[in-house]
Amino acid sequence: MLIWVFAETAEGEGVSTTTLELLTKAREIGDTVECFIASSDASGVAATLGEYGAAKVYAVDTGDQLPGAAAAAAIAAKASEANPDLLLFATSYDGRDVSGRLSARLDVPVITNVLDIAVEGGAVTCETAIFGATKIVRTQFADASPRIVLVRPKSFGVESAAGGSAAVETVPVPDVGTAGSTRVLERHVEALEGPKLEDADIVVSGGRGLGSAEAFGLVEQLAEVLGAATGASRAIVDAGWVPYSKQVGQTGKTVKPNVYIALGISGAMQHMVGMKGSKNIIAVNKDGEAPIHAVADIGIVGDVHKVVPQLIEALKSRG
Amino acid sequence: MNILVCVKQIPDPAGPQELNNDNTLKREGKLILDESDSYGVEIALQLRDTAGEGEVTLISMSPGEPSGLRTALAMGADKAIHVVDDTLHGADALSTAKVLAAAVQRAGDYTLVIAATESTDGYTGTVPAQLAEILGLPSVTFAKSIRVEGGKVHVDRQTEAGYDVVEADVPAVVTVTAGVVEPRYPSFKGIMAAKKKPLETLAVSDLGLDLSSWGQNIVSVEDAPSRAAGEKIEDDGEAYLKIVEFLEEQKVI
Ligand SMILES: Cc1cc2nc3c(=O)[nH]c(=O)nc-3n(C[C@H](O)[C@H](O)[C@H](O)COP(=O)(O)OP(=O)(O)OC[C@H]3O[C@@H](n4cnc5c(N)ncnc54)[C@H](O)[C@@H]3O)c2cc1C
Ligand SMILES: Nc1ncnc2c1ncn2[C@@H]1O[C@H](COP(=O)(O)O)[C@@H](O)[C@H]1O
């Protein structure tokens, strides 16, 4: 099975972790793994992509366009020559745009929100979760090639294959007419403090139970003493207390830290989808019936304004 | 400025969710306007009102009564196209995009097609990109705000690191992120007026489409392994010590 992974880079940080997750899985289920990237500097990341198992990198330089239309056209053109069996994309800003357009261009379905993929005798089976991850659905493609799959971040672990640098083949930028008229005029980057939410070993998240935007300071203080990243429920993102980049859940980030600490979060299924895979869960919620207690290893039925300051003090005094 | 808004009508997500025997989602009972799409409706109304001319047309594909469309008409949209067809039962994202694209093409001149970044029940987040590709239009996803000037649309597009300012030629497809505006509540006057607004009902054959298979089959649905609950502790003033102890056991402090 020939698998293509749509590779992405994270702002200033080289290849994205999700790309490495996809490469690791692709190696396990495929015979040959190759990458497609929309970038002006594919040779700069070819070493990393090769290390994680890519034999080859097709690169299209879409410049300051949003990559969706042009990258999809370039992939479609190359796919008609190389005939990949399976194309893996991450559920990311660009991953959705490119895979959606590619699906329409090739007139093949795309299976989305995938958490696991299995290949057996040429059939590709995708696992997705529904109803707040209480049920697992397995779906197969009715037709072979190419099958397009959009995978949620954190679905797979990352392991190096200790491979050598991948060969880069530059692909011309196709003319897609007005669909290619998008231009990124300015970039605004918000400063990020502390460890990255998706990669942190400990995550402390706050919800509406904090009562006010100021009380998010409790979350930040606790995170600081633990060296943790801060996260949030959508309720307080929508309320404008914290930026969207902190949102954990179905429409936010998926996290799988060693320890997830939920403060004043009810545990709505759309939130749980994003954190249920954490190794350990600690919750502080004054309502003993809150759904978060049903998944917590330690569920404190109590007031965040009492428990959290005590906890911070205790941790600080340990030095 | 004429704006088309794709709005999904869904079973109330607060209600019990169940599957049919064929593993499709039960869409019985009253369908509501997907909250994700209420933001796009609000933005479209604001753009129309700022321009001082034009119409907001809603497009939706769903079974049953168009109760969600009525809500958006009551908010102030001018008219609606509702595609209802039993043969669309279980349709996948691409087929949905084909239906919406055909409805867009019937709707006359327009500057923007607005959709949500992702729907509440399907959340594939791919329908708008598929729609744009079928229509041959540019698309800008994850908009926080939208301005139209001099034949271009300017979008503040949310990114992983902050936001980008992106422009594209119009007509264009733009998807709106949830929570970026405060959707208005339908007024009593709006609700009364909505009853008289044009609402066209179409079948797949009216759109000249032939859709019969979705290219994928559900092979199984199983209960996910559930996570066992651990210890639940009523705070007696010392519960924080339990957390300290647990963190020590996990060797993270
Ligand atoms: C399409 C869609 C996508 C969504 N995506 C996401 C997502 O990605 N992420 C997400 O989080 N949500 C998401 N949601 C929203 C989700 O359904 C919930 O509304 C949200 O998670 C609730 O946030 P919360 O737990 O902070 O608030 P609430 O549900 O209001 O819970 C607050 C909790 O705090 C407790 N509390 C109150 N006071 C105190 C106190 N003093 N001390 C201790 N506890 C206290 C209460 O008992 C309560 O359980 C989505 C919803 C939809 C429809
Ligand atoms: N059946 C539908 N009718 C109208 N609009 C839809 C439909 N399905 C998807 N959309 C639009 O596409 C957006 C994204 O949907 P999805 O790709 O399912 O996450 C929705 O929020 C709507 O704006």
Side-chain angles (χ1 to χ4, degrees):
Chain A
M1 178 156 293
L2 171 60
I3 304 181
W4 281 4
V5 169
F6 182 72
E8 296 181 64
T9 52
E11 194 85 40
E13 292 174 55
V15 180
S16 74
T17 310
T18 329
T19 300
L20 303 182
E21 292 163 10
L22 294 184
L23 282 170
T24 305
K25 186 68 185 185
R27 257 160 41 212
E28 179 197 316
I29 58 176
D31 304 307
T32 307
V33 180
E34 296 175 344
C35 283
F36 215 103
I37 193 166
S39 164
S40 57
D41 181 29
S43 48
V45 292
T48 310
L49 297 175
E51 183 195 335
Y52 287 86
K56 188 169 185 179
V57 181
Y58 296 101
V60 61
D61 182 1
T62 51
D64 53 5
Q65 288 183 37
L66 293 181
I75 295 174
K78 264 289 157 202
S80 67
E81 293 166 23
N83 292 313
D85 302 285
L86 175 62
L87 292 97
L88 302 182
F89 291 83
T91 307
S92 63
Y93 296 81
D94 291 340
R96 279 177 161 182
D97 285 0
V98 178
S99 64
R101 284 193 176 261
L102 182 64
S103 133
R105 192 168 259 271
L106 298 176
D107 198 15
V108 297
V110 47
I111 299 185
T112 51
N113 289 306
V114 169
L115 301 171
D116 203 359
I117 309 169
V119 173
E120 228 184 278
V124 175
T125 308
C126 296
E127 264 186 39
T128 52
I130 56 164
F131 300 167
T134 55
K135 288 200 182 294
I136 301 290
V137 178
R138 287 191 186 80
T139 306
Q140 285 180 349
F141 291 88
D143 302 304
S145 347
R147 307 166 181 91
I148 308 177
V149 176
L150 254 176
V151 181
R152 288 190 71 92
K154 297 278 156 194
S155 295
F156 313 121
V158 172
E159 257 173 70
S160 164
S165 190
V168 177
E169 179 182 327
T170 308
V171 177
V173 188
D175 180 2
V176 289
T178 173
S181 68
T182 53
R183 290 289 174 277
V184 178
L185 303 179
E186 296 165 29
R187 289 188 190 276
H188 296 260
V189 176
E190 287 155 10
L192 184 83
E193 284 164 44
K196 258 180 90 178
L197 180 52
E198 309 89 299
D199 302 335
D201 192 44
I202 308 178
V203 172
V204 185
S205 283
R208 184 145 47 197
L210 292 168
S212 70
E214 292 69 46
F216 195 76
L218 283 177
V219 174
E220 286 168 340
Q221 286 166 37
L222 179 58
E224 200 184 323
V225 283
L226 290 171
T230 56
S233 72
R234 170 153 152 190
I236 73 168
V237 171
D238 285 355
W241 297 0
V242 294
Y244 169 76
S245 56
K246 297 212 178 287
Q247 185 171 315
V248 172
Q250 178 185 311
T251 32
K253 297 205 160 100
T254 305
V255 298
K256 286 192 179 174
N258 185 1
V259 181
Y260 187 87
I261 305 179
L263 305 176
I265 291 178
S266 60
M269 65 182 192
Q270 295 94 349
H271 185 78
M272 303 259 238
V273 169
M275 45 65 75
K276 234 176 156 178
S278 305
K279 192 148 169 256
N280 299 290
I281 297 172
I282 299 174
V284 181
N285 189 310
K286 68 177 183 189
D287 175 6
E289 300 303 314
I292 192 81
H293 285 307
V295 300
D297 299 280
I298 297 276
I300 308 287
V301 183
D303 186 342
V304 287
H305 296 283
K306 293 205 182 101
V307 178
V308 183
Q310 287 175 323
L311 178 59
I312 294 168
E313 277 319 306
L315 292 170
K316 274 189 181 158
S317 65
R318 287 169 45 96
Chain B
M1 176 165 37
N2 291 329
I3 303 171
L4 310 179
V5 190
C6 297
V7 299
K8 206 168 170 181
Q9 303 177 87
I10 61 169
D12 190 342
Q17 293 183 305
E18 282 172 65
L19 296 177
N20 293 309
N21 289 336
D22 65 354
N23 289 326
T24 54
L25 186 66
K26 276 206 172 131
R27 294 183 188 277
E28 291 155 9
K30 193 174 170 228
L31 299 183
I32 62 165
L33 173 66
D34 188 338
E35 189 202 296
S36 304
D37 285 316
S38 63
Y39 305 99
V41 172
E42 176 62 36
I43 286 195
L45 297 174
Q46 291 180 12
L47 287 169
R48 177 199 65 189
D49 295 345
T50 308
E53 46 85 28
E55 286 184 324
V56 172
T57 304
L58 309 165
I59 298 177
S60 188
M61 169 187 127
S62 77
E65 288 299 309
S67 39
L69 282 174
R70 289 249 154 66
T71 305
L73 288 170
M75 286 170 72
D78 298 283
K79 52 188 195 200
I81 299 172
H82 186 202
V83 185
V84 191
D85 200 314
D86 287 344
T87 62
L88 293 171
H89 176 81
D92 73 329
L94 181 58
S95 309
T96 303
K98 288 179 182 172
V99 168
L100 298 177
V104 166
Q105 276 157 342
R106 278 175 58 104
D109 265 2
Y110 58 89
T111 305
L112 293 177
V113 181
I114 290 180
T117 290
E118 62 180 34
S119 63
T120 296
D121 61 344
Y123 62 101
T124 78
T126 55
V127 169
Q130 290 166 321
L131 174 65
E133 184 70 20
I134 296 167
L135 295 169
L137 296 181
S139 56
V140 184
T141 46
F142 288 92
K144 286 157 59 121
S145 67
I146 305 174
R147 300 171 300 284
V148 177
E149 300 162 345
K152 303 252 186 205
V153 58
H154 286 250
V155 172
D156 285 351
R157 181 187 196 233
Q158 180 187 295
T159 62
E160 198 47 49
Y163 72 96
D164 290 348
V165 181
V166 182
E167 66 160 35
D169 291 349
V170 294
V173 174
V174 181
T175 76
V176 173
T177 309
V180 294
V181 283
E182 190 72 49
R184 66 195 69 180
Y185 284 106
S187 63
F188 179 70
K189 217 176 109 203
I191 294 168
M192 297 314 288
K195 296 190 173 144
K196 300 198 190 72
K197 288 182 175 169
L199 196 159
E200 190 182 10
T201 309
L202 299 174
V204 172
S205 56
D206 296 323
L207 296 169
L209 290 172
D210 175 23
L211 298 168
S212 48
S213 75
W214 318 129
Q216 49 193 293
N217 309 311
I218 293 176
V219 291
S220 72
V221 179
E222 283 165 27
D223 286 337
S226 63
R227 208 190 150 100
E231 208 181 339
K232 193 151 78 177
I233 302 143
E234 289 285 341
D235 182 32
D236 55 358
E238 302 219 315
Y240 71 98
L241 292 171
K242 285 280 186 190
I243 302 182
V244 176
E245 210 175 281
F246 185 80
L247 292 173
E248 278 170 349
E249 279 165 27
Q250 299 305 320
K251 300 198 170 56
V252 295
I253 53 170

